[in-house]
Structures are given as C-alpha cells and as structure tokens.
Amino acid sequence: MAAISISESEFEKFREFFYRKTGIQFESSKRYFVDKRLEERIELTHSGNFRAYFTKLRFEASGAELQQLTNLMTVNETYFFREEYQFQCLVKSLLPEITGRKRDNTPIRIWAIPSSSGEEAYSIAIYLLEFWAGINDWDIEIISSDIDTKILALARHGQYSVRSVQHLPEKLLRKYFTRQAENYQICDDLREAVEFTRVNLSERIDTRAYRNFDIIFCRNLLIYFDDASRKAAAETFYDAMKPGAYICLGHSESMSRFSSLYKVRKFPEAIVYQKPLLEAR
Amino acid sequence: MALIKTQTHQPIAHDERKQARDCNSLLLELENDNPMARRWAARDLADCPAASAALVSRLQLEDDVSVREVILTTLTVMGNEVAVVGLVNCLRSEKVALRNEAIEAMKQLPDEVAPIMRGLLADADPDVRIFAVNILESLRHPEVESWLISVIDHDPELNVCATAVDLLGEVGSSASREPLLRLKARYTQVPYIQFATDLALKRISDG
Amino acid sequence: MKRILIVDDAATVRLYHRQILEAAGYKVYEAVNGIEALEKSLQQPFDLYVVDINMPKLDGYGFLRELRSQDIYQAPAIMVSTEAQTSDHQQAFAAGANAYLVKPVKPEQLLIQVKLMIGEARG
Ligand SMILES: C[S@@+](CC[C@H](N)C(=O)[O-])C[C@H]1O[C@@H](n2cnc3c(N)ncnc32)[C@H](O)[C@@H]1O
C-alpha cells in the first residue's frame, strides 16, 4: 500500500472540523504532529485515504473514532500541581467569593472528577492547607470520583512516582510525603481528607446523589466525550451545584462547544464557569 | 475547622422529586415556580409520550435556559411527530436562542428530520431554509450532499446558497463540482460566492 | 498591529473575513460562537469585533450583551448578518453593536467600516 499522506487542503479541512467539534485549534506549525496522528488512524481503521477516513469521522453515529482521535491529539497524564493557576484561582478568588456570600457555616464542598490516581484532589487539599487562611474558619469537604476502580484504589493508597511529584516545591514534598524506595507516599492526614468514590459521570443513577457542591473541577475528561455526553455532563453538573457555584475545566477545554448553562467568569488567575446565582422564574 | 470527610457518607442532600412520578403530576410540575422542579419534571416526562405537546408549549414560554435544555433533550429522546413539529415551529420563533437550540436538537434526529427536510428546504421563509442547511451540518444522513446540491442549483436566495456552499466544502464529492461551477457563474458579481465556491472546489478536488 | 476577533459559526465566512482583514494589515482571531468569543475577549483585549447573529450556544446579540456588561476594554463591534430587516438592526444596536452590515459583504465595504471604527491599519 502506498504511504498515506495528507494534503494542504485536507489538513485545512480537518483543522476546521476538529476546531468546530472540540475547540482545539492547531496552528500551521503543528501540521506535522497532526498529520502523523491522522495517518496513524487512517492506517489502523483501514480507511485507505483521508477522504474515506474523514467521512467516517464526520458520520459515524457513535462518534467513537472522533474520540479515539481526540485522545491521540491531547496529552493525558496527571501530576501534582498540574495547571496550578486554577488552584491559585481557587484560593485567591473563588473561596473568598463563596465565603463572602455564605450565610451559614456548613462545610464548603468541592468535587473533583475525574480523580484518576488522585493527584488533583490531593493538590487541592495541599493548596487549601498551605495557601488559604480561611481553612482556620471553614470546613471543607473534598470528594473525588472516577469510573475506574483500579485507579481509585491507587488514589486511596497515595503512592506516587518521582515524575508525578516533580512540580511540587521541595518544601511541600518533604512536609506531606515520605520517600519509599523509588516512590513518594502521601501522608495519612491527606489520605483521610479526601473521599474517593466510583462514579460514571454519564450514568444518572451514579450522579444522582451528588448535590450542593460549591466548586467542581472537571479537567481533562469532557474532551474525550461525544457531543451528547458532554451536554448531559453539563446538565448533571448543573444539578450538582449550588446556585452561584463554580466549575473549572482543563486548559484545552471550553463549555462553548456544548453548553450555554453557565456564565463565563474572568478572574485574575483563570476563566471559570458559574451557575447563575439567581435562576429565572 | 479543617478538611473533613462527608459526615453522611452519602453526599445526598435531598431528592427534589417530591411529587409522585405519574405523568399528570409531572405535567403540573412543569409549571412549578422553581426551575429545579421544572427541570426534573421535564426530564422524567421522557417516559410520558403523550406529554410532548405540553413540553413543546412550555418550551416556547420557558425563560430559564437550563429548563429549555432539558425539555429539548426530552423531546429529542421522544422524537415523535408532535415533538418534531414543535421543534420546527421553534425555527420560526422570534427568539434567536430558542431557534438555535431547536437547530441543535434537530441535528440529533436524522431519521425523524430526514422525511421533512425537503419541505424545510423549500420553505417560503429564507431564514428557515438557512436553518435547514444548518441542521444538515451535523445530520448523519446519506442524502445530505444531494440536498445541498439541489439548494445551490435552485434556491433563489443568495444567503441560503452561501450557507450550503460552506458545508459542501466539507461534505462535497465530485458530484458537487458542476453545481458549484454553475453557482459561481450565476453570481460573478458577488465576491463572497466567488471565494466560497473556489474554496469548496479546491477542497473537493484535493480531497 | 490592531487585533480583530471574528465571531461566526461558518468556517468559510471566517476565512473570507480573515483574508480581507489580514490583507489590510490586521491581526485576526476567530471564535465559533458567543461563548468562545466571550472567553477569548476576557483573556486578551481586542480592538474590534466582527460578529454574526445566528450562532449556536450563544448568539451574536447575547454575546454583545454579555461583553458590554464586562469590566474590560469595550472595543467597537460590527454586526454582520443575513438578516436585513430594520428590527434586526435595532436589536443589534440595543445589544451593543456599533455598525451593521448585511451578508455577504464586499471586501471594501467591510474595510471601510473597520477603518471607521478603529482607524487605519498598520498603526
Ligand atoms: C486524563 S485523566 C484526568 C485526570 C485529572 N483530572 C487531570 O486533569 O489531570 C482521565 C480520567 O477520566 C476517567 N474517566 C473516563 N470516563 C469517565 C466517566 N464516564 N466517568 C468518570 N470518570 C471517567 C478515567 O478513568 C481517567 O482516570
């Protein structure tokens, strides 16, 4: 079989389609990166050429191929303090706003989904303890969920590779972890501070019990969903949030492709989505 | 004060679905003052096919976008005739947001929308015809290209043709080449059509 | 270099406007609907917006209303739409538009409006 190659206008055509679907926009300088991955999928799906593959991509009812390709086009690993600017936003902007308007002293609730192996939820906990004075006045609940029970077991266990903790300042690493051979073990205080639960975000029965959150982190999950599931997820979150609650997405993700339920809020550190404080009659 | 675990272990607050879940009480709930109650009613009405008419009329009045979204999802799940007719009527609404929401819902219903597509593309209102072409954008249906070809060959309204050309650049095959050339020749004075047809033609010949 | 955000769900229209504006020396950015446009305008300042009306998720009117309520630099906005009725013009101005063009626009028509709104390019 002749080598598959992608022409200039095929690249353009794909770029526009992918941008419309996912909001991810590739500069022309990314041409090689994109071509490589397209060629790989064309080959693996036995499509023969770009045209046939593109048709599959557009018209496949399940959207499965689009998801496959999206996986390839995005980097997916998780580590401590990933996208730290959002945690800064949490302590500098979101929590002060919440405590400023809160009329009772019930706990402030945070939901981080998907948890993967737990780095994100633990990062939130560390951030609150280290960088938020309000921790002395308020109770905070952190619940973190994932569909994958094996990964949840790892999260609860809390042992991490050097790579996973590499962005943590040395001081915090020493304070909250102990070295165990090749790895770092997170301390029991933190393990007890986060509740890990199994949830399939796309399953109504699973999410029904999740209510009254003040802040949701949903990073690097929706990007793998098809349109209908993203829309459903946006609705699920809406019901899980208090009025005025906030939702933070991953840096390459945007609500703009699948929901108009939320207000876009700009804070000095990040852009965040907010459920309206007052619902229309 | 500190980081704490959920005391209840069940992070359940309370179930908003107080009403018994039969179709009649759900219909009443649809008029509740609380948007949350309306949302739940609209969601659960998915099991009451007879409710589609009520959902359609609620949709036209509903000011809360979160409730509208749920109603639209339920109507798409139902996908019956009343639901589809209701969605078509939204295309004629004065409310831009509602129109666009209906377009998106209809994209999810290829089998139900296909039989009425010819009618929509021949609608007397050019705006409705543009919306019909917008629906084709994501409608997974084998006839999309031939519908678009017939639009650019026959539609008298420049902007309807322009919308169709945009899409042909993505879905067009060699079958679209001649019609595109004809359109280009018809509007030699319109720079946008010259640009758009050239682009579509280029993409078709390279693809 | 002056920065312009094109907000339109039709890829061909964005490309058409982009080429006209880039040829005149402007730096061009794109958004496919009002929400994305809002996100982008909150992240970086623009000197001008060129906005379609009918778009999914958040339409052109909704975008301008949101934009005008934000505490950021308020650049002028040109509404560009297929809708030719006076009521549409009125609605656009009420939402915060500063000019209105009916699609499809001619290159010189667009450039004249752009220059009126933000002055000469290459500045
Ligand atoms: C790339 S990780 C994201 C980790 C972390 N949030 C971050 O941004 O670094 C994706 C995770 O999503 C989980 N996942 C996939 N589908 C899911 C679903 N339907 N519901 C909940 N979690 C899901 C996977 O098990 C995986 O752990």
Side-chain angles (χ1 to χ4, degrees):
Chain A
M1 197 168 85
I4 299 155
S5 77
I6 312 287
S7 76
E8 174 83 33
S9 61
E10 286 170 343
F11 171 75
E12 288 293 332
K13 210 154 130 172
F14 170 74
R15 175 157 85 164
E16 271 169 25
F17 170 77
F18 197 67
Y19 168 55
R20 192 178 79 224
K21 285 299 195 186
T22 66
I24 299 174
Q25 200 164 23
F26 292 112
E27 301 292 316
S28 302
S29 60
K30 280 282 178 73
R31 169 94 194 259
Y32 179 77
F33 171 93
V34 172
D35 283 8
K36 273 273 152 285
R37 279 154 186 77
L38 279 174
E39 286 158 17
E40 181 184 329
R41 288 311 301 168
I42 292 171
E43 181 123 21
L44 284 170
T45 54
H46 308 290
S47 305
N49 57 32
F50 174 82
R51 177 173 202 96
Y53 177 72
F54 192 59
T55 307
K56 182 180 172 68
L57 207 55
R58 293 192 74 257
F59 290 112
E60 189 185 57
S62 69
E65 184 53 34
L66 183 59
Q67 276 175 60
Q68 280 280 352
L69 188 65
T70 312
N71 288 0
L72 273 183
M73 296 286 181
T74 52
V75 187
N76 99 46
E77 49 164 358
T78 183
Y79 46 85
F80 279 89
F81 282 25
R82 180 185 192 186
E83 289 159 41
E84 188 180 349
Y85 62 89
Q86 279 193 346
F87 303 135
Q88 287 172 358
C89 186
L90 170 71
V91 297
K92 290 189 187 154
S93 299
L94 304 184
L95 286 168
E97 243 186 49
I98 291 171
T99 54
R101 66 168 177 254
K102 215 166 146 51
R103 295 270 165 269
D104 53 30
N105 54 6
T106 54
I108 295 169
R109 288 160 54 82
I110 300 179
W111 189 18
I113 177 170
S115 69
S116 188
S117 33
E119 286 90 332
E120 184 176 315
Y122 288 132
S123 297
I124 294 171
I126 294 176
Y127 234 83
L128 294 174
L129 293 170
E130 292 292 322
F131 305 111
W132 188 53
I135 194 76
N136 300 315
D137 306 316
W138 298 90
D139 279 337
I140 296 231
E141 287 174 24
I142 305 173
I143 298 166
S144 192
S145 314
D146 202 284
I147 194 174
D148 180 346
T149 49
K150 283 210 259 355
I151 210 102
L152 283 167
L154 289 179
R156 290 191 193 103
H157 186 58
Q159 213 177 75
Y160 296 99
S161 67
V162 176
R163 191 187 165 80
S164 162
V165 298
Q166 66 182 342
H167 293 276
L168 276 175
E170 183 63 35
K171 185 179 134 235
L172 298 182
L173 193 58
R174 260 185 274 125
K175 183 161 171 192
Y176 294 105
F177 295 78
T178 48
R179 184 97 205 214
Q180 283 190 348
E182 301 288 273
N183 296 323
Y184 288 87
Q185 171 65 49
I186 203 161
C187 66
D188 286 348
D189 283 353
L190 284 178
R191 287 177 62 203
E192 267 151 36
V194 181
E195 167 106 16
F196 288 100
T197 61
R198 204 215 72 107
V199 168
N200 176 355
L201 183 59
S202 302
E203 187 58 71
R204 283 225 153 259
I205 303 167
D206 284 8
T207 57
R208 168 144 282 171
Y210 290 74
R211 291 281 178 272
N212 286 323
F213 285 97
D214 295 279
I215 300 170
I216 295 178
F217 286 86
C218 182
R219 311 197 309 180
N220 305 301
L221 173 60
L222 299 180
I223 196 127
Y224 307 111
F225 279 16
D226 65 18
D227 287 353
S229 328
R230 284 183 194 149
K231 195 166 170 291
E235 289 176 15
T236 298
F237 286 143
Y238 199 84
D239 286 326
M241 292 159 89
K242 288 184 188 154
Y246 309 91
I247 179 160
C248 306
L249 301 181
H251 76 107
S252 56
E253 297 171 313
S254 150
M255 283 283 177
S256 65
R257 290 301 181 283
F258 50 89
S259 181
S260 30
L261 292 176
Y262 302 92
K263 292 231 161 284
V264 187
R265 285 288 306 276
K266 177 198 163 73
F267 293 103
E269 305 82 16
I271 296 247
V272 168
Y273 301 89
Q274 185 178 26
K275 176 172 173 169
L277 252 174
L278 291 174
E279 300 192 82
R281 132 60 248 216
Chain B
M1 300 281 130
L3 299 174
I4 58 163
K5 279 218 177 171
T6 18
Q7 299 105 333
T8 51
H9 249 271
Q10 277 271 332
I12 308 185
H14 54 94
D15 204 327
E16 299 77 14
R17 313 156 95 208
K18 288 186 216 82
Q19 288 272 344
R21 299 279 101 181
D22 66 276
C23 295
N24 281 335
S25 54
L26 285 173
L27 282 174
L28 283 178
E29 281 285 276
L30 208 51
E31 308 294 324
N32 193 304
D33 272 353
N34 179 351
M36 170 103 83
R38 298 204 296 282
R39 233 167 22 240
W40 280 111
R43 195 165 282 142
D44 288 352
L45 278 168
D47 299 326
C48 308
S52 37
L55 285 166
V56 163
S57 49
R58 181 70 227 172
L59 184 60
Q60 310 266 0
L61 308 174
E62 181 60 60
D63 281 330
D64 188 310
V65 45
S66 75
V67 183
R68 283 206 307 273
E69 289 214 355
V70 177
I71 294 181
L72 284 158
T73 308
T74 300
L75 287 175
T76 358
V77 171
M78 290 175 161
N80 58 29
E81 208 183 314
V82 180
V84 173
V85 171
L87 290 173
V88 170
N89 284 335
C90 292
L91 297 181
R92 300 180 200 286
S93 165
E94 283 297 300
K95 299 178 186 163
V96 195
L98 179 59
R99 274 185 339 231
N100 288 312
E101 287 157 7
I103 292 173
E104 288 188 60
M106 290 170 79
K107 287 177 181 173
Q108 312 292 322
L109 292 171
D111 295 337
E112 293 75 10
V113 170
I116 57 167
M117 193 34 97
R118 270 185 199 289
L120 287 177
L121 289 170
D123 198 279
D125 181 351
D127 283 340
V128 171
R129 303 205 295 278
I130 291 181
F131 302 149
V133 176
N134 288 152
I135 291 168
L136 291 182
E137 174 203 282
S138 303
L139 198 72
R140 300 173 197 275
H141 194 277
E143 274 195 81
V144 167
E145 184 179 7
S146 60
W147 284 328
L148 290 171
I149 290 177
S150 120
V151 168
I152 63 169
D153 265 338
H154 304 296
D155 202 294
E157 185 66 38
L158 172 56
N159 278 312
V160 183
C161 294
T163 313
V165 174
D166 180 42
L167 191 48
L168 275 174
E170 198 175 299
V171 302
S173 68
S174 53
S176 300
R177 185 168 299 126
E178 289 301 317
L180 281 166
L181 288 168
R182 282 196 291 275
L183 181 74
K184 188 179 171 193
R186 210 158 85 225
Y187 288 109
T188 44
Q189 302 303 313
V190 183
Y192 177 74
I193 294 288
Q194 299 301 306
F195 174 86
T197 49
D198 282 345
L199 184 69
L201 284 163
K202 180 163 182 301
R203 293 201 169 156
I204 285 167
S205 63
D206 286 17
Chain C
M1 210 193 256
K2 297 282 188 189
R3 303 144 56 87
I4 302 181
L5 181 67
I6 299 174
V7 192
D8 201 305
D9 56 334
T12 310
V13 177
R14 289 197 307 273
L15 198 57
Y16 176 69
H17 289 164
R18 170 185 276 278
Q19 293 200 343
I20 296 170
L21 296 170
E22 280 181 349
Y26 299 101
K27 179 113 179 82
V28 175
Y29 299 79
E30 300 180 21
V32 297
N33 64 37
I35 300 184
E36 191 182 32
L38 198 59
E39 291 170 353
K40 293 201 166 162
S41 14
L42 291 174
Q43 280 160 345
Q44 51 187 311
F46 294 101
D47 299 291
L48 180 76
Y49 301 92
V50 177
V51 186
D52 181 29
I53 293 182
N54 273 304
M55 291 180 292
K57 303 300 175 223
L58 184 62
D59 56 74
Y61 300 135
F63 164 62
L64 285 181
R65 275 193 292 269
E66 285 286 334
L67 180 76
R68 294 310 184 211
S69 72
Q70 300 288 333
D71 181 20
I72 54 172
Y73 168 65
Q74 292 294 333
I78 304 176
M79 205 80 160
V80 183
S81 173
T82 57
E83 333 241 338
Q85 274 136 39
T86 357
S87 63
D88 300 310
H89 291 234
Q90 284 162 348
Q91 226 182 317
F93 289 115
N98 305 81
Y100 195 105
L101 292 174
V102 176
K103 276 185 186 175
V105 298
K106 294 209 161 64
E108 31 330 328
Q109 218 187 344
L110 179 65
L111 285 175
I112 288 173
Q113 277 304 336
V114 168
K115 284 179 184 157
L116 276 176
M117 294 284 147
I118 53 173
E120 294 300 316
R122 299 177 227 282

